[in-house]
Amino acid sequence: MAVLQKIRNRSGILLGVIGFALLAFVVQDFFSNNYTSFSNDVGSINGKDIIYEDFRVKVANLEKNGQQGQGMTSVQAANQVWEQEVSIALLTEEFEKLGIRAGESHIIENFKNDPNIGQNPAFQNAAGKFDIKKFKEFFKSNPEQAKLLGDREKDAILNSKYQIYSSLIKGGMYTTDAEGKFKYELETNKVSFDFVSVPFASIKDSDIKVTDEDYMNYMKKHPKRFKSDGTREIEYVVIEDKPSAADEKEVKDKVNKLLVGDVVYNQETGKNDTVPSFSSASNVAEYVSKNSDIPFDSIYKTKQELPVESAEQLFNLPVGQIYGPYMNGKYYCISKAMGRKSGAKVKASHILISWEGIDRVQKKEKRTKEQALAKAQSLLAQAQANPGSFMMLALTNSDDSSAQQGGDLGYFGPNQMVKPFNDFVFGNPIGKIGLVESEFGYHIINVTDKQDAVLLATVGQRIDPSETTTNNVYATATKFEMDANGKDFAAVAKAAKLTVNPAIKAKPMDEAFGSVGNQRQIVKWAYSDDTNVGDVKRFEIVNVGHVIAKLSKINEEGLMTVEEAKPMIEFIVKNEKKAEKIMAKMKGASLEAIASANKVAVQQATDLTIENAMIPNVGMEPKVVGIAFGTAANKVSAPVEGNAGVYVIKTKSVVKAPKLVKHDAYVNKLKPMAQQAAGRVIPALKDKAKIEDKRVEFY
């Protein structure tokens, strides 16, 4: 009691201490772990911040739109929005520097080029042309729509400014007659020379020594080619949560017993229940629902729709008979044939001829219903007279999107098409060509194939890891994580009979992670300020198991590592080393002396140009040909390092191209290259810009 009284007397102090401790914990957590997440911007371009909240909304909208199509992850959406934001910010700077403005005429022209606006009947006059008055009147009388137009107008202004900017660049990138003349000379000036060539292949790779310093020196000479945004190298071990042999046996035993029947204990009634065999079940659908992880399917299936490995046996199974057990993916199955239908699936082609008033069809030409019928009857006669022409007739005449496939609609089942179409194809034999009318227009139909189908009742039980197996896997993964922390990752894995996967080199916004697919959580962990080289962490992956990852290396922004660049430059650096050895031996007063010293022959090259620098028996050597043009006649050159080896040349003659008054043809060859300059603007602006990317803090 005395102790309790003391606690009561000092309860105020105690509560204060507890409160202070909690506050300290929160403050520490704020500063040590989550401080960066309170940043208001997701990055900056040349000092201009990109506000996170605005960025987040754009990402959410793009992700939502992407999911309506092929799907898009939040990281993919963030990457796409980031590229857009960077491009817009850099271009906007340029617009402001140049004083580019977009007037009403520019904006209206941009709207007109948008099919949703320019081709909208609400904004067209009687002649079917865009009418600016109708456009303005519509939004004046529809204030809600006018609000939506405001956002579109911002895009139109930006696009209009870009059109002006692009035109200015294209206008500035003209091609002069002097450039045309130079092009003409590159193609037409000819040089002939004798040469001695010692190929790089004459020296074995084992005869030269290339160090990491050599690779680094090469990269430093060409820094832009080997620029790296920085990566994290992550080694990892995968411990799969998959069924054990005991799990497989348990499921297979259960399914096998259904072939002969079984007696099982019913916990609810406290009695044994007799489970009949699959073959003797009186109500097959009910039997399947009670004993299968695969629900009963009453749809007839063609052979192509059955499991590939067992399709032949299942399709030819007599009605009432059972096939199995067999594996279908992760399911252990037995199937019973319930029925067969002839011609259950049909393949057909059609030509659709529609008429004015049917808005759901994009017609190739305007026509009345009477004109449509006349055309359909004419096409029917042509198709019946020559069935082989059906594909071409569909391609050139059909108003349906299937025209691109020659009218082929593939295989389909009953009631998948409109009734008149359905009745014709299922009521006529293969090869029948006829005409029907539907709500879409007139169809000239060709029945090209029919397939039989079977009805199967399948009992399938999925083989999944049991709770015991999952617990064992978890224990193994947890133990490995603890054992590997601070120790030799590979050695611990080897002792545990586990395989260390090759290190992933992850960039800040990557999400793909080797064999386990998209695992953004692992990449984000590697880039966390709290994660250091050598740290190990376990990640639980749905439908996979556990990934134990180790941050093995941090490659900072700048030049690539030697390991990254080596596959790209190894042969170049090795050839440089070989060139040094070859050049030391290519000495002599004449080509014949040099050839003799290197045990090769003197060769000839005739009438080569800079644009066609293909040396016979050697390959493309523009540098060698260029030096031949610049070397005085009958003078032996210094050794020249080319693409395939080292050369010494003696120029015999240079034939200049005949003079032309104008070089228009060559100017025209160069013009397309100049016009492509607008497409290189954004990469050039990015290269010069100061861009800070903090997306990794948010995604």
Side-chain angles (χ1 to χ4, degrees):
M1 291 296 291
V3 174
L4 288 175
Q5 186 60 42
K6 287 181 181 179
I7 291 175
R8 292 190 189 101
N9 292 339
R10 299 181 182 180
S11 58
I13 298 173
L14 185 62
L15 289 173
V17 171
I18 293 172
F20 179 79
L22 287 172
L23 178 61
F25 175 79
V26 172
V27 171
Q28 180 186 6
D29 184 64
F30 175 84
F31 281 102
S32 64
N33 296 324
N34 299 321
Y35 179 74
T36 54
S37 67
F38 287 87
S39 176
N40 290 324
D41 58 89
V42 74
S44 65
I45 296 97
N46 288 336
K48 183 180 178 181
D49 293 338
I50 298 178
I51 305 304
Y52 169 67
E53 186 56 32
D54 297 338
F55 187 85
R56 182 193 64 79
V57 171
K58 292 176 182 178
V59 170
N61 289 336
L62 181 60
E63 188 179 359
K64 181 180 178 182
N65 292 334
Q67 287 173 348
Q68 294 173 356
Q70 62 180 4
M72 180 178 286
T73 67
S74 60
V75 173
Q76 289 171 332
N79 290 341
Q80 189 169 325
V81 172
W82 174 258
E83 291 301 318
Q84 292 172 351
E85 291 295 299
V86 170
S87 298
I88 290 170
L90 294 175
L91 287 171
T92 300
E93 277 188 15
E94 295 301 300
F95 299 158
E96 291 174 357
K97 288 177 187 176
L98 296 170
I100 295 175
R101 299 288 181 268
E104 183 181 24
S105 60
H106 295 108
I107 298 168
I108 295 300
E109 193 63 31
N110 199 275
F111 279 146
K112 284 168 62 177
N113 292 331
D114 184 341
N116 295 318
I117 296 176
Q119 297 177 21
N120 192 324
F123 308 138
Q124 293 178 340
N125 57 25
K129 301 292 184 182
F130 181 80
D131 190 326
I132 184 62
K133 289 183 179 179
K134 293 185 73 173
F135 178 74
K136 289 182 176 180
E137 287 172 0
F138 175 85
F139 288 102
K140 188 175 181 180
S141 57
N142 292 275
E144 290 298 321
Q145 294 292 329
K147 290 180 181 178
L148 297 175
L149 183 67
D151 291 331
R152 298 290 294 274
E153 188 172 353
K154 291 178 183 177
D155 292 338
I157 291 171
L158 188 64
N159 288 332
S160 298
K161 288 181 178 180
Y162 181 72
Q163 294 291 338
I164 298 169
Y165 180 67
S166 181
S167 298
L168 289 173
I169 292 173
K170 289 177 181 178
M173 299 299 294
Y174 55 86
T175 305
T176 65
D177 188 69
E179 290 172 299
K181 179 185 177 184
F182 186 61
K183 173 72 172 173
Y184 166 63
E185 292 174 348
L186 290 178
E187 289 189 13
T188 318
N189 287 349
K190 296 178 181 178
V191 65
S192 298
F193 57 91
D194 294 337
F195 68 95
V196 172
S197 168
V198 178
F200 294 133
S202 64
I203 296 181
K204 296 178 181 178
D205 287 355
S206 57
D207 291 340
I208 58 170
K209 183 180 180 182
V210 182
T211 66
D212 286 354
E213 186 180 359
D214 294 323
Y215 291 117
M216 186 56 68
N217 288 337
Y218 183 86
M219 287 191 285
K220 287 178 179 178
K221 291 178 185 176
H222 311 88
K224 287 187 177 180
R225 287 173 53 189
F226 302 100
K227 185 179 179 182
S228 173
D229 294 330
T231 58
R232 298 289 191 270
E233 295 188 23
I234 311 164
E235 296 177 284
Y236 67 103
V237 164
V238 179
I239 301 178
E240 293 184 82
D241 187 10
K242 59 184 180 180
S244 65
D247 297 334
E248 289 188 20
K249 184 178 184 305
E250 182 180 355
V251 172
K252 289 179 178 180
D253 286 347
K254 286 171 64 177
V255 174
N256 289 338
K257 287 178 180 178
L258 296 177
L259 288 171
V260 294
D262 194 16
V263 176
V264 296
Y265 178 74
N266 188 324
Q267 291 184 342
E268 294 183 4
T269 63
K271 297 179 180 178
N272 288 332
D273 290 342
T274 300
V275 178
S277 66
F278 189 25
S279 59
S280 64
S282 56
N283 188 328
V284 174
E286 183 180 333
Y287 188 93
V288 170
S289 67
K290 285 184 177 180
N291 297 286
S292 177
D293 294 329
I294 302 173
F296 180 76
D297 189 352
S298 60
I299 297 175
Y300 281 76
K301 302 286 180 67
T302 63
K303 186 176 180 180
Q304 287 77 5
E305 295 172 305
L306 299 175
V308 176
E309 294 82 359
S310 307
E312 189 70 33
Q313 297 89 333
L314 290 170
F315 188 74
N316 295 310
L317 189 65
V319 174
Q321 295 296 306
I322 290 177
Y323 173 74
Y326 64 95
M327 289 298 300
N328 180 15
K330 292 187 176 182
Y331 293 87
Y332 193 62
C333 306
I334 50 177
S335 294
K336 183 176 183 179
M338 303 294 292
R340 176 180 289 270
K341 278 186 181 179
S342 298
K345 292 285 179 77
V346 175
K347 188 180 185 185
S349 297
H350 82 139
I351 304 169
L352 176 63
I353 305 299
S354 192
W355 57 83
E356 293 301 309
I358 300 178
D359 297 329
R360 290 180 289 177
V361 176
Q362 188 70 38
K363 293 167 282 297
K364 290 185 176 179
E365 60 184 66
K366 291 185 178 181
R367 62 177 81 90
T368 64
K369 184 175 182 180
E370 292 73 20
Q371 291 171 328
L373 178 59
K375 182 168 185 175
Q377 289 173 334
S378 172
L379 291 169
L380 173 65
Q382 293 177 61
Q384 288 176 330
N386 182 13
S389 67
F390 197 95
M391 178 185 291
M392 188 56 66
L393 290 173
L395 184 65
T396 54
N397 295 280
S398 182
D399 291 330
D400 186 56
S401 59
S402 66
Q404 298 301 316
Q405 290 79 45
D408 186 10
L409 297 170
Y411 288 96
F412 51 89
N415 304 316
Q416 287 184 251
M417 301 293 182
V418 289
K419 191 174 187 309
F421 198 108
N422 180 84
D423 293 347
F424 181 88
V425 295
F426 283 97
N428 285 288
I430 297 171
K432 179 68 175 179
I433 299 176
L435 177 67
V436 301
E437 178 185 347
S438 80
E439 60 201 77
F440 297 98
Y442 291 110
H443 304 263
I444 301 95
I445 304 171
N446 182 13
V447 182
T448 56
D449 194 20
K450 292 192 174 185
Q451 289 184 338
D452 294 347
V454 294
L455 177 63
L456 298 173
T458 297
V459 172
Q461 293 198 7
R462 184 180 171 96
I463 302 178
D464 283 323
S466 64
E467 185 177 346
T468 300
T469 298
T470 297
N471 289 340
N472 289 339
V473 169
Y474 173 80
T476 301
T478 304
K479 184 178 186 301
F480 177 73
E481 177 189 17
M482 291 187 294
D483 291 346
N485 227 319
K487 297 179 183 177
D488 187 322
F489 195 71
V492 176
K494 185 177 181 181
K497 297 181 179 179
L498 297 170
T499 302
V500 178
N501 291 275
I504 301 294
K505 293 180 180 178
K507 295 179 180 178
M509 289 303 292
D510 283 352
E511 57 181 341
F513 196 82
S515 61
V516 290
N518 287 353
Q519 297 301 330
R520 178 63 188 156
Q521 56 177 332
I522 303 178
V523 177
K524 193 167 183 179
W525 164 77
Y527 275 90
S528 170
D529 291 338
D530 296 333
T531 305
N532 300 308
V533 172
D535 284 358
V536 174
K537 184 174 174 63
R538 179 183 58 84
F539 297 88
E540 195 163 337
I541 310 298
V542 177
N543 297 325
V544 174
H546 302 263
V547 170
I548 297 89
K550 175 191 175 182
L551 179 59
S552 55
K553 192 175 182 182
I554 294 177
N555 299 314
E556 300 294 351
E557 184 177 352
L559 282 178
M560 290 181 183
T561 63
V562 170
E563 290 79 8
E564 288 175 303
K566 192 174 180 179
M568 296 183 281
I569 62 174
E570 184 173 12
F571 74 99
I572 298 174
V573 177
K574 283 184 176 180
N575 284 347
E576 286 183 347
K577 289 284 187 180
K578 291 179 180 181
E580 292 173 6
K581 283 199 166 194
I582 294 171
M583 285 180 177
K585 296 188 295 181
M586 294 189 79
K587 295 177 181 178
S590 66
L591 290 184
E592 289 73 16
I594 296 171
S596 177
N598 288 276
K599 298 180 181 179
V600 295
V602 177
Q603 301 181 66
Q604 293 79 39
T606 306
D607 291 342
L608 300 187
T609 69
I610 294 294
E611 297 259 319
N612 181 23
M614 179 68 74
I615 298 179
N617 305 317
V618 176
M620 285 296 293
E621 291 288 5
K623 181 179 177 181
V624 177
V625 174
I627 288 176
F629 271 107
T631 302
N634 297 316
K635 181 181 178 182
V636 176
S637 74
V640 181
E641 182 182 343
N643 293 329
V646 178
Y647 303 79
V648 174
I649 62 175
K650 185 171 75 172
T651 301
K652 293 163 63 177
S653 65
V654 174
V655 180
K656 296 287 186 180
K659 289 187 178 181
L660 298 178
V661 178
K662 287 189 175 182
H663 305 86
D664 294 350
Y666 297 91
V667 169
N668 291 333
K669 285 184 179 182
L670 294 171
K671 277 183 178 179
M673 296 174 62
Q675 294 301 304
Q676 294 171 7
R680 299 194 293 270
V681 167
I682 292 177
L685 292 174
K686 284 182 180 179
D687 190 52
K688 297 294 183 183
K690 183 180 180 182
I691 299 173
E692 185 180 6
D693 185 354
K694 296 192 286 188
R695 286 175 294 159
V696 72
E697 297 176 14
F698 300 91
Y699 294 94

